[in-house]
Amino acid sequence: TLLVDTLTSLPNRRYFFRELERVVEEAKREKKEFAILFIDIKGFKFINDFYGHDAGDVVLQEVANRLKMSISGFLARIGADEFVVILKDLKKEDIEKFVNILIKNVEKPVKVDGNLIDFSLLVGVAVFPDDGKNKDEILQAADLALDSLKHNEENQRIAFFEMCLQ
């Protein structure tokens, strides 16, 4: 049970790091790519502050369920409103299309106590080995991509690490 997030029943941060290590070694051995998606619920603090933490929990559970139904890769909850996905069987050029579909599937209002709670997702993407040669580098790249969206005024929803460098 130490490897599962109690609220969402998803793998937790510790489980994710173990899995990432395994996937990195496998990718190096087989000379394959994989992508990491860092997913954040934009404005989640507002949901907790305005509707209360119980409503925030319901939103988190619903987002987790919707992500689970939309993703065949490894999905974990690694922070308050942060989810991470490891996608192994997706070509780099198909990632953006996949993420757009994911956003469409997940970003529907959640009904809590008669309130329809709207939210949006931000997704930072990094691809191994282009954006990082080990688990720390690839994580940092995905995190930087996500961070670039949090400070972006253009309402962009997806950022690739390589785009952050330009």
Side-chain angles (χ1 to χ4, degrees):
T1 54
L2 292 171
L3 297 175
V4 174
D5 173 60
T6 51
L7 183 67
T8 62
S9 301
L10 291 176
N12 66 13
R13 186 179 198 87
R14 181 181 295 157
Y15 189 163
F16 164 70
F17 284 120
R18 272 191 203 169
E19 181 65 10
L20 180 60
E21 211 160 293
R22 194 189 66 71
V23 170
V24 166
E25 291 311 310
E26 181 183 286
K28 283 179 180 175
R29 214 176 30 252
E30 297 176 9
K31 297 191 180 5
K32 286 191 170 173
E33 291 185 335
F34 70 87
I36 286 199
L37 313 181
F38 266 26
I39 302 171
D40 187 81
I41 302 173
K42 186 178 182 183
F44 185 70
K45 184 182 173 344
F46 171 80
I47 293 171
N48 270 339
D49 291 349
F50 190 80
Y51 296 100
H53 288 272
D54 289 347
D57 286 352
V58 173
V59 171
L60 283 171
Q61 290 167 326
E62 189 56 36
V63 168
N65 288 335
R66 292 173 187 179
L67 286 170
K68 220 182 295 183
M69 289 167 50
S70 306
I71 291 170
S72 60
F74 183 87
L75 168 66
R77 178 178 175 219
I78 59 165
D81 63 329
E82 281 195 319
F83 297 88
V84 68
V85 179
I86 300 173
L87 290 177
K88 292 201 291 192
D89 300 315
L90 204 59
K91 298 271 178 278
K92 196 169 184 175
E93 57 272 13
D94 296 331
I95 294 172
E96 191 165 2
K97 189 166 82 181
F98 172 83
V99 173
N100 280 317
I101 292 168
L102 183 70
I103 287 171
K104 206 174 285 161
N105 288 342
V106 176
E107 274 188 3
K108 295 177 177 90
V110 176
K111 195 170 191 163
V112 185
D113 299 329
N115 295 307
L116 275 181
I117 301 177
D118 268 313
F119 63 90
S120 55
L121 300 180
L122 300 175
V123 183
V125 182
V127 179
F128 179 92
D130 300 1
D131 301 333
K133 305 281 181 246
N134 59 43
K135 74 175 174 53
D136 295 329
E137 287 181 11
I138 197 72
L139 274 178
Q140 188 180 14
D143 200 25
L144 287 169
L146 179 60
D147 264 359
S148 76
L149 291 172
K150 291 179 182 176
H151 309 292
N152 176 318
E153 300 302 312
E154 297 165 34
N155 257 345
Q156 217 179 315
R157 308 299 272 294
I158 307 166
F160 284 79
F161 175 68
E162 63 194 28
M163 290 159 52
C164 301
L165 300 175
Q166 293 162 7

